[in-house]
Amino acid sequence: MRQSIYNELSGLIAKERIRLEEPMKNHTTFRIGGPAEAFVMPKEAGEIRDIIAWCRKREIPYYIVGNGSNLLVSDRGYRGVIIQIFREMNGIKAEGEVITAQAGALLSAVAGLALANGLAGFEFAAGIPGTLGGACVMNAGAYGGEIRDVVTEVTVLTPAGDIRTFLADQMEFGYRTSMVAKSGGIVLAARIKLHKGDPDAIRARMEELREKRVGRQPLEYPSAGSTFKRPEGYFAGKLIEDAGLRGFTVGKAQVSEKHCGFVVNKGGATAADVSELMRRVSAKVEETFGVRLEPEVKRLGEF
């Protein structure tokens, strides 16, 4: 079966961009996850479309990932095809006050290009550990800024296989969601409109936010960022802390002692550890405060 998959996929994408039984712990910021049956790295929209069509025809599951910054993959891995839109689709260019970038571009790289061109407005995203594609899907944000504040249009591969460009007001951006998240489309690229600013002021703001992250977030350990969505009227981290769960541990997974909104991999944590920890934290918070925490981290595979 594996060789058959490899042979057929190699007719759609270069062999050097296909890996079989690829450990997903190498492709998630949690540094957790068993092997993907097939792991492919397309370079352009046509390859993505062909791979998806191939998967659908053969009824093989597939999943799109960026740099795996919001993802928990099962210890058993993923029986299907992982389509990574990251290093092979990460082009960025600046023209005037507009930055155009492919979906695989890291937000930190976009912020770096903005700084190099004296463009302000993207500083909030400089420390978010994700790609532009994922950020558009979930309307990523931090420190008072969100992607919907700066994106003017998004190019999407629709579930029907069409490539369409949507204006920002068509994207239905909301808290950690968008039209693409609801429809199942795939972000290919986006245009970002910024404004001219003083490079020194831009750099200072980025450094200020970096220092805040270092001081408040457990960046010294692998994690998937904020583990739970913010419940309306509350802060997830505060609820978890007030429930007495700071430092709570299951196996090698721990509620961060620095910021209770993060679950961290203390070294050798399994997906089962993290999943059970999340379950217990959610149950305790609901029991204590009557508030249900919804995971922000996506789970992939069998748990």
Side-chain angles (χ1 to χ4, degrees):
M1 178 63 174
R2 294 178 188 173
Q3 191 60 45
S4 174
I5 286 177
Y6 183 83
N7 291 340
E8 292 190 41
L9 283 172
S10 64
L12 306 175
I13 185 173
K15 292 181 179 180
E16 62 267 23
R17 291 186 278 117
I18 305 170
R19 300 176 186 174
L20 300 183
E21 298 302 319
E22 176 70 6
M24 287 303 294
K25 67 181 181 180
N26 297 336
H27 303 284
T28 67
T29 57
F30 247 141
R31 298 293 178 256
I32 293 172
E37 189 172 13
F39 184 93
V40 297
M41 297 164 278
K43 278 190 170 182
E44 45 92 15
E47 290 184 343
I48 300 172
R49 184 162 43 196
D50 290 346
I51 293 164
I52 290 175
W54 178 84
C55 289
R56 287 176 175 170
K57 182 177 180 180
R58 287 155 184 77
E59 298 184 339
I60 295 175
Y62 65 90
Y63 192 81
I64 309 295
V65 302
N67 73 327
S69 61
N70 196 38
L71 187 64
L72 178 65
V73 180
S74 166
D75 300 312
R76 300 179 185 180
Y78 182 69
R79 296 297 86 192
V81 178
I82 294 290
I83 303 171
Q84 187 197 56
I85 302 176
F86 184 24
R87 292 185 179 89
E88 299 293 337
M89 292 183 66
N90 63 2
I92 317 172
K93 65 178 181 180
E95 295 178 304
E97 297 183 346
V98 174
I99 289 179
T100 304
Q102 290 182 296
L106 287 171
L107 296 175
S108 57
V110 176
L113 184 64
L115 172 60
N117 285 269
L119 298 175
F122 207 75
E123 295 89 332
F124 74 91
I128 299 175
T131 61
L132 181 60
C136 288
V137 171
M138 66 177 293
N139 184 31
Y143 296 108
E146 292 182 308
I147 285 296
R148 65 177 162 192
D149 300 330
V150 293
V151 163
T152 60
E153 57 185 52
V154 181
T155 301
V156 175
L157 179 64
T158 71
D162 301 319
I163 296 176
R164 294 188 56 191
T165 297
F166 296 92
L167 298 177
D169 60 6
Q170 296 175 298
M171 283 292 293
E172 300 175 17
F173 286 124
Y175 175 66
R176 301 298 179 261
T177 191
S178 70
M179 172 273 294
V180 178
K182 298 169 187 173
S183 71
I186 299 167
V187 173
L188 300 174
R191 286 169 61 87
I192 298 162
K193 178 68 168 65
L194 303 174
H195 57 273
K196 286 293 184 181
D198 174 27
D200 289 337
I202 297 168
R203 184 179 293 104
R205 177 59 174 164
M206 289 171 62
E207 179 60 22
E208 176 191 356
L209 296 183
R210 188 193 71 80
E211 290 178 359
K212 284 185 178 181
R213 285 187 173 90
V214 170
R216 299 176 184 176
Q217 298 180 9
L219 303 181
E220 63 272 28
Y221 295 110
S223 78
S226 297
T227 307
F228 297 98
K229 295 179 181 179
R230 185 180 68 234
E232 187 173 353
Y234 299 91
F235 291 98
K238 184 69 164 56
L239 289 170
I240 294 168
E241 179 179 3
D242 290 348
L245 294 170
R246 179 182 296 276
F248 178 68
T249 300
V250 172
K252 295 294 185 179
Q254 182 187 65
V255 173
S256 169
E257 295 177 299
K258 183 182 284 187
H259 190 314
C260 292
F262 288 67
V263 169
V264 298
N265 177 358
K266 292 283 284 187
T270 65
D273 290 340
V274 174
S275 185
E276 177 62 13
L277 177 62
M278 291 173 62
R279 186 193 69 78
R280 293 190 194 180
V281 166
S282 184
K284 180 65 173 178
V285 167
E286 186 167 17
E287 175 190 328
T288 306
F289 301 109
V291 179
R292 180 179 294 274
L293 294 179
E294 296 293 336
E296 186 164 311
V297 174
K298 294 178 173 61
R299 302 197 309 174
L300 180 64
E302 296 181 11
F303 282 84

